[in-house]
Amino acid sequence: MPDTNIEAGFHDPSIPPHRVAQLAVAISVLTPLALWTCKAPILFLYLRLFGVKKWLRVISYITLALTAAVYIAGIVAIPPACTPHSNDLSPSFIAGCQTRTRIINVFTGSFSVLADVVILVLPLPVIFGLNLLVRSKVGLAFLFLSGLLCVYAR
């Protein structure tokens, strides 16, 4: 049975601290890319399905642009402060990296949740304007709003 240390989180003494810092930088770059590649196809689908509605088209483009800008800012801001330039990491380097990463990740995460809510609510006015039975409109609304469970689970 492997020896695990759960007092302060997972620690593997065979992984040097500079390698952990490199992995943290890689994660901070890949996570926003993954988030944007999940949101963008939904917005592009809305543009294709509901593009005749000018207000929906404008909001979709604004959401695409703002999410891209926020995620690019996060990608650009973290690596300069957190990329280790040597194998010896001082406590002040680690503290600075953690502080900057925490601030950026809280901002990016909050914006991501807001964008998720916008994406989920965006088609509702169009759905309720369709020439369908009320039962069908409510069913479609529940279908689109089921994504709120994912936002809530975050």
Side-chain angles (χ1 to χ4, degrees):
M1 179 171 259
D3 181 32
T4 57
N5 180 2
I6 58 171
E7 293 173 14
F10 175 78
H11 297 282
D12 186 353
S14 66
I15 300 175
H18 74 279
R19 184 70 180 137
V20 173
Q22 290 171 337
L23 291 171
V25 170
I27 290 169
S28 69
V29 169
L30 293 175
T31 300
L33 289 173
L35 288 172
W36 197 79
T37 56
C38 290
K39 292 175 187 355
I42 297 169
L43 289 165
F44 286 126
L45 176 68
Y46 288 173
L47 288 169
R48 185 161 174 116
L49 291 176
F50 309 119
V52 295
K53 303 287 186 182
K54 184 177 179 179
W55 64 268
L56 193 139
R57 197 171 54 243
V58 169
I59 293 173
S60 294
Y61 282 127
I62 289 171
T63 306
L64 276 167
L66 285 176
T67 54
V70 167
Y71 295 149
I72 288 170
I75 290 171
V76 170
I78 292 176
C82 295
T83 302
H85 299 291
S86 70
N87 291 348
D88 185 35
L89 299 179
S90 67
S92 64
F93 173 81
I94 292 171
C97 177
Q98 287 175 336
T99 301
R100 176 177 259 183
T101 303
R102 185 180 312 113
I103 292 168
I104 291 170
N105 287 342
V106 166
F107 176 74
T108 304
S110 300
F111 186 82
S112 183
V113 170
L114 176 67
D116 287 346
V117 171
V118 168
I119 289 169
L120 292 170
V121 171
L122 198 56
L124 293 181
V126 176
I127 289 170
F128 287 115
L130 293 173
N131 190 16
L132 295 172
L133 295 172
V134 174
R135 202 171 88 185
S136 298
K137 291 178 187 180
V138 171
L140 278 172
F142 275 122
L143 178 70
F144 278 98
L145 291 175
S146 66
L148 283 175
L149 297 174
C150 295
V151 173
Y152 179 73
R154 273 192 190 182

